[in-house]
Amino acid sequence: LHTIHCPIQLIQGMEDEYGSSAQLDDIKKSTGNTVSINLLPKEGHAPHVSQTEKVVHIITSFLHEKINFNHN
């Protein structure tokens, strides 16, 4: 992970049966980058399926923050 040199957006359900917030913390510690973590309450392993609009909003906001979409 230390070779990744761009901002990172991590999204995970707080009730993910396959992952933990400790894994996200490890990713954050293992990179020298800006890491944004979004833990979604009452959500399991597939928030992109069950909370599609929320996940799209998180990703879109992240991209707007990191990339200047107003250039021509």
Side-chain angles (χ1 to χ4, degrees), residues 2 11 13 15-16 26 36 38-39 44-45 51 65-67:
H2 65 280
I11 303 169
E15 297 176 19
D16 188 334
D26 287 343
S36 298
N38 281 274
L39 289 171
H45 188 67
Q51 292 192 37
E65 178 184 324
K66 303 298 178 188
I67 300 171

Side-chain angles (χ1 to χ4, degrees), residues 12-20 43-46:
Q12 183 170 307
M14 292 180 79
E15 297 176 19
D16 188 334
E17 57 274 21
Y18 302 106
S20 70
E43 187 56 54
H45 188 67

Side-chain angles (χ1 to χ4, degrees), residues 21-34:
S21 61
Q23 290 171 318
L24 303 181
D25 291 337
D26 287 343
I27 292 169
K28 188 171 185 171
K29 290 175 189 172
S30 297
T31 66
N33 305 311
T34 302

Side-chain angles (χ1 to χ4, degrees), residues 9 34 36 59-69:
Q9 172 66 68
T34 302
S36 298
I59 293 169
T60 303
S61 296
F62 175 78
L63 291 174
H64 278 284
E65 178 184 324
K66 303 298 178 188
I67 300 171
N68 179 4
F69 282 109

